[in-house]
Amino acid sequence: ELQKEVLAVCEELDIKVISYSPLALGLLTNKYAIGNKEGKGMEETRLPGGLRGLVFRNILPGIRPLLSELVEVAEDTHATPSQVAIAWCMSKGTIPIPGAKNLSQAKQNIGSLDVNLSDLHCQALEAAAQ
């Protein structure tokens, strides 16, 4: 709720909000979890090592519904989960700053500009994120 209030005030004052780490350090790319919407069959794969991997292992179960919805919307819009996540940020009126480790990821991020999310897509993503 606080985030929505902050966004509303910023919009009223014509202040642009920057979405830092719109891919949640790579978690929203779906490269660490695969499976269906109910979380059945989801398994953690290719987790990074060290503390980051431990944190991801603890966070992944809670975001499985969102990851599944990102995959569904990506299939529906012929995009990638990363592109959908970035487009979702833009649909909220924010300016996302996604990271990229290589040219391929940078090109994929730019592809988010071509993703058109419907109101239903955004509502489904919001519901899954709760």
Side-chain angles (χ1 to χ4, degrees):
E1 287 301 313
L2 178 61
Q3 290 176 355
K4 290 179 182 179
E5 291 176 29
V6 170
L7 280 174
V9 169
C10 288
E11 186 175 303
E12 182 179 317
L13 298 174
D14 197 30
I15 297 171
K16 299 297 179 197
V17 175
I18 295 175
S19 296
Y20 178 78
S21 193
L23 301 177
L25 301 175
L27 284 170
L28 299 183
T29 65
N30 200 43
K31 76 178 183 180
Y32 299 116
I34 54 176
N36 62 27
K37 194 169 188 170
E38 293 77 33
K40 295 176 185 167
M42 289 193 97
E43 55 187 76
E44 298 161 7
T45 60
R46 303 178 304 272
L47 287 176
L51 183 59
R52 191 177 203 184
L54 178 65
V55 171
F56 282 15
R57 190 171 283 105
N58 288 315
I59 292 173
L60 277 170
I63 65 168
R64 283 181 175 159
L66 177 57
L67 290 174
S68 295
E69 193 61 43
L70 283 168
V71 169
E72 266 189 46
V73 173
E75 290 171 358
D76 193 42
T77 58
H78 307 287
T80 66
S82 299
Q83 291 169 332
V84 171
I86 294 167
W88 184 29
C89 289
M90 290 187 291
S91 77
K92 296 179 180 200
T94 67
I95 301 168
I97 304 178
K101 288 185 178 179
N102 54 49
L103 181 59
S104 174
Q105 288 179 355
K107 287 180 178 180
Q108 185 174 351
N109 292 346
I110 290 170
S112 65
L113 295 171
D114 296 324
V115 177
N116 295 310
L117 299 178
S118 70
D119 288 342
L120 288 176
H121 290 139
C122 292
Q123 290 169 5
L125 289 166
E126 287 293 332
Q130 298 306 315

